[in-house]
Amino acid sequence: MTAVFDTLVGNLMVPTILFFVLGLLAAFLRSDLSIPEGAAKFMSLYLLLAIGFKGGHSLAEHGVRSELLLAIAAGMALSFLIPFLAFLLLRVMTRLDATNAAAVAGHYGSISIVTFVAATSLLDLSGIAFDGYMVAVAASMEVPAILSALWIAARHSGPVATATVPARELFANGSVLLLTGAFVIGAVTQDKGMEMIAPFVVTPFVGILCLFLLDMGITAGRSLATNRHMLNAGLFSFGLVMPLAGAMLGWALGAVIGLQTGSVFLLMVLAASASYIAVPAAMRIALPKAEAGIYLTLSLGVTFPFNITVGLPLYLWLANFGT
């Protein structure tokens, strides 16, 4: 048991996670520490570009194989099915109406790209290899969750609860487009492209991620403080239980399809995370009657901090233990 604890603590004591904790602390202390909005936007774009490009380059090195298609299929299956489990848990654990429960469920079927980036950084710092195509898996896990949420809402709340979502809103989301576009560019340009921009996408990556997670810690802490009145015991418990349930599903599926340890860990992280960018934008259009304060507080104020501080070390230990 001591060895397990030491491993978890060791995985937690890395700069990226500790800067996120610093951001949370700053928010709870009501510090005036902040990151300018323009700088935060640049860091978001940089991280998406860097992780996408490096993933595409890694894919080019290893080639397109059946494992890639199998992993993408697994990711899409998780993204489509997890909202149904989330909806069931919400109806049992909370008093949310069907529309709000469906909106929340959609967030948990989708992914947090920041959590994914932090997870890849943790693997790099730990010296654990993973498949570059996991970036493509991440990009494939946005739309299925939204479609599931809309189906659940229509099934349980009636057609008046939903509005039509333009296909462009689903498939041309900026973060998804940049991530997949950079992935394709990295795959097409191969070693020559990596050699040209390595000083930009490799060397400063961890430092910029630390600053970004500092900003995310501040944002998450302030969101939690502002909207804490919306969190009763059932909702708060769901925000902690659901990522664990998703991670276990990702662990089981990753083991079944034969992913290596690092990739199993990333699939667990993707299944455990909750969206606070793409899905909220879609829900504002598709489910206008759903309370944004509820699903954003859960995904950004509860699940995101849990995953970054406790979840990532725990999932990495489980991935190592299981494989």
Side-chain angles (χ1 to χ4, degrees):
M1 190 66 183
T2 302
V4 173
F5 179 77
D6 290 342
T7 300
L8 292 177
V9 171
N11 291 334
L12 183 62
M13 300 299 287
V14 295
T16 49
I17 294 177
L18 292 178
F19 271 101
F20 178 81
V21 175
L22 177 61
L24 285 176
L25 181 62
F28 293 150
L29 293 177
R30 298 183 180 179
S31 169
D32 61 355
L33 176 63
S34 64
I35 303 293
E37 183 178 350
K41 179 68 173 179
F42 166 78
M43 290 188 292
S44 299
L45 295 173
Y46 169 84
L47 292 172
L48 290 169
L49 185 153
I51 194 68
F53 190 90
K54 289 191 290 185
H57 174 257
S58 179
L59 177 65
E61 286 186 319
H62 297 92
V64 177
R65 306 186 304 273
S66 59
E67 291 89 342
L68 164 64
L69 301 178
L70 192 59
I72 290 177
M76 294 182 69
L78 284 170
S79 178
F80 183 79
L81 294 174
I82 284 175
F84 292 93
L85 174 60
F87 182 79
L88 177 62
L89 289 177
L90 283 164
R91 299 293 272 175
V92 171
M93 299 174 65
T94 75
R95 297 181 179 180
L96 286 183
D97 60 87
T99 299
N100 278 298
V104 171
H107 287 68
Y108 283 83
S110 186
I111 61 133
S112 160
I113 193 60
V114 177
T115 309
F116 178 78
V117 172
T120 61
S121 176
L122 181 58
L123 288 176
D124 288 338
L125 291 171
S126 303
I128 300 175
F130 61 93
D131 297 298
Y133 59 66
M134 292 306 295
V135 176
V137 176
S140 72
M141 292 178 68
E142 293 278 13
V143 175
I146 297 172
L147 297 178
S148 293
L150 298 185
W151 188 91
I152 293 170
R155 177 70 175 79
H156 293 273
S157 303
V160 296
T162 63
T164 301
V165 184
R168 180 180 175 279
E169 296 292 336
L170 295 178
F171 297 102
N173 175 269
S175 60
V176 176
L177 188 61
L178 177 57
L179 180 68
T180 53
F183 181 87
V184 171
I185 292 171
V188 170
T189 58
Q190 303 181 16
D191 290 339
K192 181 179 180 181
M194 177 57 76
E195 183 180 351
M196 292 175 65
I197 69 169
F200 178 69
V201 301
V202 178
T203 305
F205 182 84
V206 175
I208 291 179
L209 179 59
C210 287
L211 277 175
F212 184 78
L213 286 177
L214 171 67
D215 182 53
M216 291 304 303
I218 296 170
T219 302
R222 289 174 179 169
S223 174
L224 189 58
T226 302
N227 299 298
R228 62 182 181 274
H229 62 283
M230 294 185 176
L231 287 178
N232 54 38
L235 278 172
F236 187 83
S237 298
F238 170 83
L240 302 179
V241 170
M242 191 59 219
L244 294 173
M248 294 310 297
L249 289 174
W251 175 77
L253 193 53
V256 167
I257 65 177
L259 293 178
Q260 62 175 312
T261 298
S263 296
V264 169
F265 166 65
L266 291 180
L267 189 62
M268 292 173 70
V269 170
L270 290 171
S273 61
S275 174
Y276 49 82
I277 300 174
V279 178
M283 290 301 106
R284 279 197 293 268
I285 298 171
L287 297 177
K289 294 184 178 180
E291 294 288 343
I294 295 176
Y295 54 69
L296 279 176
T297 300
L298 272 175
S299 62
L300 183 58
V302 179
T303 298
F304 181 72
F306 171 78
N307 275 332
I308 291 293
T309 57
V310 178
L312 293 186
L314 178 61
Y315 307 151
L316 183 56
W317 177 79
L318 287 172
N320 277 299
F321 177 79
T323 55

mmCIF file of all heavy atoms in Angstrom, residues 53 56-57 180-190 193:
data_model
loop_
_atom_site.group_PDB
_atom_site.id
_atom_site.type_symbol
_atom_site.label_atom_id
_atom_site.label_comp_id
_atom_site.label_asym_id
_atom_site.label_seq_id
_atom_site.Cartn_x
_atom_site.Cartn_y
_atom_site.Cartn_z
ATOM 1 N N PHE A 53 0.239 18.439 -33.946
ATOM 2 C CA PHE A 53 1.366 18.257 -34.869
ATOM 3 C C PHE A 53 2.255 17.101 -34.422
ATOM 4 O O PHE A 53 2.661 16.263 -35.236
ATOM 5 C CB PHE A 53 2.185 19.543 -34.956
ATOM 6 C CG PHE A 53 3.222 19.523 -36.047
ATOM 7 C CD1 PHE A 53 2.914 19.975 -37.318
ATOM 8 C CD2 PHE A 53 4.494 19.041 -35.803
ATOM 9 C CE1 PHE A 53 3.861 19.947 -38.332
ATOM 10 C CE2 PHE A 53 5.451 19.005 -36.815
ATOM 11 C CZ PHE A 53 5.138 19.461 -38.081
ATOM 12 N N GLY A 56 0.542 13.798 -35.187
ATOM 13 C CA GLY A 56 0.602 13.465 -36.607
ATOM 14 C C GLY A 56 1.982 12.995 -37.024
ATOM 15 O O GLY A 56 2.118 12.038 -37.804
ATOM 16 N N HIS A 57 3.002 13.638 -36.482
ATOM 17 C CA HIS A 57 4.376 13.222 -36.792
ATOM 18 C C HIS A 57 4.634 11.819 -36.276
ATOM 19 O O HIS A 57 5.264 10.994 -36.952
ATOM 20 C CB HIS A 57 5.369 14.209 -36.167
ATOM 21 C CG HIS A 57 6.794 13.784 -36.306
ATOM 22 N ND1 HIS A 57 7.516 13.240 -35.256
ATOM 23 C CD2 HIS A 57 7.639 13.796 -37.369
ATOM 24 C CE1 HIS A 57 8.729 12.949 -35.661
ATOM 25 N NE2 HIS A 57 8.841 13.278 -36.933
ATOM 26 N N THR A 180 -7.191 18.523 -35.319
ATOM 27 C CA THR A 180 -7.115 17.555 -36.417
ATOM 28 C C THR A 180 -6.295 18.101 -37.586
ATOM 29 O O THR A 180 -5.560 17.349 -38.232
ATOM 30 C CB THR A 180 -8.532 17.182 -36.901
ATOM 31 O OG1 THR A 180 -9.261 18.375 -37.217
ATOM 32 C CG2 THR A 180 -9.285 16.421 -35.832
ATOM 33 N N GLY A 181 -6.410 19.413 -37.838
ATOM 34 C CA GLY A 181 -5.627 20.001 -38.917
ATOM 35 C C GLY A 181 -4.142 19.910 -38.654
ATOM 36 O O GLY A 181 -3.349 19.551 -39.548
ATOM 37 N N ALA A 182 -3.729 20.230 -37.423
ATOM 38 C CA ALA A 182 -2.314 20.123 -37.068
ATOM 39 C C ALA A 182 -1.846 18.675 -37.126
ATOM 40 O O ALA A 182 -0.707 18.384 -37.511
ATOM 41 C CB ALA A 182 -2.089 20.703 -35.666
ATOM 42 N N PHE A 183 -2.739 17.761 -36.749
ATOM 43 C CA PHE A 183 -2.421 16.332 -36.818
ATOM 44 C C PHE A 183 -2.121 15.919 -38.267
ATOM 45 O O PHE A 183 -1.126 15.243 -38.547
ATOM 46 C CB PHE A 183 -3.592 15.530 -36.263
ATOM 47 C CG PHE A 183 -3.385 14.040 -36.255
ATOM 48 C CD1 PHE A 183 -2.753 13.422 -35.184
ATOM 49 C CD2 PHE A 183 -3.826 13.264 -37.309
ATOM 50 C CE1 PHE A 183 -2.570 12.047 -35.176
ATOM 51 C CE2 PHE A 183 -3.647 11.890 -37.307
ATOM 52 C CZ PHE A 183 -3.018 11.283 -36.227
ATOM 53 N N VAL A 184 -2.978 16.344 -39.178
ATOM 54 C CA VAL A 184 -2.787 16.008 -40.594
ATOM 55 C C VAL A 184 -1.506 16.630 -41.132
ATOM 56 O O VAL A 184 -0.729 15.981 -41.846
ATOM 57 C CB VAL A 184 -4.002 16.473 -41.431
ATOM 58 C CG1 VAL A 184 -3.726 16.325 -42.915
ATOM 59 C CG2 VAL A 184 -5.246 15.683 -41.039
ATOM 60 N N ILE A 185 -1.250 17.892 -40.765
ATOM 61 C CA ILE A 185 -0.036 18.568 -41.240
ATOM 62 C C ILE A 185 1.208 17.862 -40.717
ATOM 63 O O ILE A 185 2.192 17.670 -41.441
ATOM 64 C CB ILE A 185 -0.039 20.048 -40.808
ATOM 65 C CG1 ILE A 185 -1.150 20.803 -41.549
ATOM 66 C CG2 ILE A 185 1.320 20.707 -41.087
ATOM 67 C CD1 ILE A 185 -1.389 22.205 -41.042
ATOM 68 N N GLY A 186 1.188 17.467 -39.438
ATOM 69 C CA GLY A 186 2.316 16.734 -38.876
ATOM 70 C C GLY A 186 2.547 15.410 -39.575
ATOM 71 O O GLY A 186 3.698 14.998 -39.794
ATOM 72 N N ALA A 187 1.446 14.724 -39.960
ATOM 73 C CA ALA A 187 1.566 13.438 -40.649
ATOM 74 C C ALA A 187 2.088 13.618 -42.074
ATOM 75 O O ALA A 187 2.878 12.811 -42.575
ATOM 76 C CB ALA A 187 0.215 12.726 -40.658
ATOM 77 N N VAL A 188 1.656 14.698 -42.733
ATOM 78 C CA VAL A 188 2.044 14.922 -44.134
ATOM 79 C C VAL A 188 3.489 15.400 -44.254
ATOM 80 O O VAL A 188 4.249 14.941 -45.125
ATOM 81 C CB VAL A 188 1.084 15.945 -44.788
ATOM 82 C CG1 VAL A 188 1.605 16.370 -46.162
ATOM 83 C CG2 VAL A 188 -0.308 15.346 -44.932
ATOM 84 N N THR A 189 3.900 16.309 -43.364
ATOM 85 C CA THR A 189 5.251 16.881 -43.476
ATOM 86 C C THR A 189 6.322 15.995 -42.852
ATOM 87 O O THR A 189 7.516 16.191 -43.129
ATOM 88 C CB THR A 189 5.295 18.275 -42.816
ATOM 89 O OG1 THR A 189 4.903 18.171 -41.445
ATOM 90 C CG2 THR A 189 4.354 19.233 -43.535
ATOM 91 N N GLN A 190 5.926 15.083 -41.984
ATOM 92 C CA GLN A 190 6.817 14.067 -41.413
ATOM 93 C C GLN A 190 8.057 14.685 -40.751
ATOM 94 O O GLN A 190 7.972 15.725 -40.100
ATOM 95 C CB GLN A 190 7.170 13.045 -42.494
ATOM 96 C CG GLN A 190 5.960 12.374 -43.108
ATOM 97 C CD GLN A 190 6.318 11.356 -44.167
ATOM 98 O OE1 GLN A 190 7.450 10.903 -44.295
ATOM 99 N NE2 GLN A 190 5.333 10.969 -44.966
ATOM 100 N N GLY A 193 9.009 18.444 -41.524
ATOM 101 C CA GLY A 193 8.186 19.427 -40.828
ATOM 102 C C GLY A 193 8.555 19.536 -39.360
ATOM 103 O O GLY A 193 8.632 20.646 -38.812
#
